[in-house]
Amino acid sequence: MSDMQVIKEAVIGGNAAKVKENTEKAVAEGVDVGIILNDGLIAGMNVIGVRFKNNEIYVPEVLIAARAMHAGMAVIKPLIANSGVREKGVVVLGTVKGDLHDIGKNLVGMMLEGAGYRVIDIGVDNAPDKFLKAVQEHNPQIVGMSALLTTTMSHMKATIEHLGAYRDSVKVMIGGAPVTQKFADEIGADAYAPDAATAVEKANQLVAS
Amino acid sequence: MSEMTSYQRCMAAISWQRPDRVPVIPQNSDMAVALSGYDMVECSKDGRKLALAMIECQERFGYDGHMMGPDAAILAEALGCPTEYRPQDPPAVSGPALEKLEDVDKLKPINPYKDGRLPQWLRAIQTLVEKSGEKVFIIGRADQAGFTLAALLRGLEPFLLDIAMGEKLDLVHKLIRFTNECHINLAKAMKEVGAHLTTCGDAFGGPSIVGPDVFRDYVFPYEKEASRIIRKDIGIPYSIHICGKTDAIQEQWVETGADVFEVDHLTDIRQLRRLSLGRTSILGNLNTDMLAAGTPQEVETACRELFDVMLPDSGFILSSGCSMLADSKPENLEAMVEAARRYGAYGNGGVR
Ligand code: B12
């Protein structure tokens, strides 16, 4: 098995110590940071995302894989700045006003991080103004909103409107159990994803467009 | 057959006797509070007001039972979790009570008659019993079951990581054993103040969150233990609510011996019915989205589809799949009650 394969498998298996050790080893051997990131860490999280989407694994398995991925990230983070690897983008992510569900949102955040994005997680129960403040402060490419209640979904529209002039420079991606593509179209969101793996695909499309 | 009282109808359903028709118990305390004109904070802190709101709602719509609600934070709060109050939403846990797993040793067993808002919930049940006692069925919710309460105290993600890492499993089990005892203590108090059935939520223990292996090792044994003690030693029927998916655990779930399962529309209701027939009744499972924003016609159709699966067997209570949203349409609740009256009769053919 190649070194990158070992890192990838260790991410999938949630073995943080092994990820750290092998990432350090690869760095010492002079492997390009971009390769470690893409072929090791991100590749592992991609597999996790697909398995979760297919109900082959559950929330704990995603959490432990994300933890292992972070152990590798911590090793390469100081090197990324000088390496020519650019972060894919910045995502401000939060659950909308009146809604305290965050399990799905957190998984989406982990998958986005695992795919090379910098995620600013603003937590739960965010009024439109909190999203706006976070956009002003962090200048993201994408705003991600989560809602699990039919009653709080309406705040997504309000938030999009509240972004005002910033709406031209940031893309809006939404999700959560009751949210649909149709709803996303209706409120003028740029993307919808039914699960965390698809959220990464959609984010990639958004930053490319 | 002459018409039964609501209480008799519900008892018949959960004990696999023949009711005259399908009983209806919506999970609508949020809605009851909203319709009453009280705000959620005052009802959460004053059990009498909560009960009055629930009684007013039951009298208006004429369904068969009170399902205690509205929040899932009451035990966690009494055990030290920070809890948020907002005027329109039920109280909710906003952080863990334990900094580290080792702190489980510092936890003190709850006293339902003294701690936090627990006495208010008991007061709510007492008020329900006083006002509608032997006629309407009263379900006391002994809040969250062992696994879910443990996750709230520890924080869900750290708790799931503790389990996935497998390093301190003795402490994990110690915590769940403790929280399960708290849950059982509350169930006991509910029986003492006159509830007819006691229920609990264990949503974190279902396949929307954890897999069947975690269910087998960390959820099932504790639900089974609670079921045994509450039904046999304390002597009150026991119900378990898992919202979200349940298909992957149903076969084992039936072995808990619980009297009732409460499930939502994500459950394969035919499969659950087949596996639990004659053993565990089903309460559910209308889609809460539909009840909130659908039409009465859609509700009627969904009820009739459910009756096709459930009848002519007993062991069924028509309900929402989970807590109904506070602003659900009243005409949808009316449609649900009406559907049971019109299409839910057991007739004279007897139950299978
Ligand atoms: C766990 C849970 C809770 C927990 C939440 C704990 C937490 N920290 O999140 C607790 C117990 C606190 C809770 C409380 C309530 N809940 Co709740 N809850 C659930 C449950 C069982 C599972 C949700 C979950 O975490 N699923 C697992 C995750 C992984 O899935 P997910 O969230 O869908 O996320 C995935 C996708 O949707 C997507 N995604 C999610 N966010 C985003 C964001 C973006 C940008 C993108 C692209 C994608 C995306 O990717 C994720 C990963 O693949 C659901 C049941 C269900 N059927 O969904 C009910 C459910 C959501 N709850 C419900 C209700 C009614 C409530 C309460 C009002 C009940 C009450 N009276 O107390 C309160 C509301 C509190 C509040 N104000 O928010 C209803 C909502 C009904 C409706 N029509 O609106 C549901 C559907 C249950 C039901 N069948 O009726 N709940």
Side-chain angles (χ1 to χ4, degrees), chain B residues 82-295:
Chain B
T83 301
E84 276 177 22
Y85 291 83
R86 293 167 306 164
Q88 264 122 40
D89 298 302
V93 172
S94 57
L98 304 179
E99 262 174 44
K100 48 188 192 316
L101 206 45
E102 284 72 12
D103 291 345
V104 56
D105 290 322
K106 296 187 194 153
L107 290 166
K108 304 226 166 36
I110 49 127
N111 177 344
Y113 293 97
K114 274 217 175 109
D115 296 342
R117 287 181 295 126
L118 296 169
Q120 291 304 326
W121 267 33
L122 298 180
R123 189 160 175 228
I125 295 176
Q126 271 165 334
T127 310
L128 294 174
V129 173
E130 270 164 34
K131 304 256 176 197
S132 45
E134 286 310 305
K135 294 198 288 296
V136 179
F137 197 65
I138 297 166
I139 303 184
R141 201 147 60 90
D143 200 7
Q144 306 301 293
F147 184 84
T148 296
L149 183 56
L152 288 173
L153 295 193
R154 170 73 172 125
L156 178 64
E157 288 177 16
F159 184 65
L160 295 181
L161 274 172
D162 290 335
I163 291 175
M165 314 260 295
E167 281 159 12
K168 296 177 184 164
L169 294 181
D170 49 334
L171 288 176
V172 168
H173 281 291
K174 194 169 184 183
L175 177 60
I176 311 176
R177 217 174 302 126
F178 171 83
T179 50
N180 210 34
E181 268 167 34
C182 295
H183 157 57
I184 294 168
N185 278 343
L186 180 55
K188 180 161 178 278
M190 293 198 151
K191 149 97 183 176
E192 286 161 0
V193 296
H196 301 135
L197 176 144
T198 182
T199 179
C200 65
D202 215 357
F204 291 162
S208 279
I209 311 293
V210 300
D213 49 344
V214 172
F215 178 81
R216 181 194 63 217
D217 296 340
Y218 300 91
V219 185
F220 172 73
Y222 297 98
E223 286 186 354
K224 187 171 175 176
E225 171 85 349
S227 177
R228 184 181 61 77
I229 296 176
I230 291 170
R231 300 177 70 243
K232 301 261 163 59
D233 302 349
I234 299 173
I236 178 169
Y238 186 53
S239 172
I240 306 172
H241 177 103
I242 294 188
C243 57
K245 302 169 199 164
T246 63
D247 299 353
I249 57 163
Q250 286 168 0
E251 213 166 324
Q252 185 166 37
W253 203 21
V254 174
E255 303 299 325
T256 56
D259 297 281
V260 183
F261 290 146
E262 300 162 20
V263 291
D264 76 17
H265 63 285
L266 294 181
T267 274
D268 177 345
I269 202 75
R270 285 172 195 274
Q271 176 182 302
L272 181 61
R273 186 61 161 176
R274 185 166 47 73
L275 291 169
S276 63
L277 195 63
R279 301 175 72 183
T280 302
S281 300
I282 292 177
L283 182 146
N285 70 340
L286 298 175
N287 189 334
T288 47
D289 283 343
M290 175 186 66
L291 292 171
T295 64

Side-chain angles (χ1 to χ4, degrees), chain A residues 70-147:
Chain A
H70 279 293
M73 287 289 205
V75 176
I76 60 170
K77 214 166 213 164
L79 308 172
I80 286 185
N82 314 324
S83 70
V85 175
R86 291 221 327 268
E87 66 192 10
K88 271 201 201 151
V90 178
V91 183
V92 162
L93 183 64
T95 303
V96 299
K97 186 177 162 211
D99 204 321
L100 304 174
H101 294 85
D102 67 357
I103 302 169
K105 172 200 57 97
N106 294 353
L107 295 185
V108 169
M110 287 170 206
M111 285 301 300
L112 287 169
E113 283 184 345
Y117 290 86
R118 185 152 63 86
V119 175
I120 316 286
D121 188 334
I122 59 172
V124 297
D125 194 12
N126 289 291
D129 209 43
K130 293 221 189 118
F131 279 98
L132 177 62
K133 292 251 156 62
V135 168
Q136 289 166 336
E137 188 181 339
H138 300 285
N139 203 10
Q141 284 74 42
I142 300 176
V143 170
M145 285 189 271
S146 180

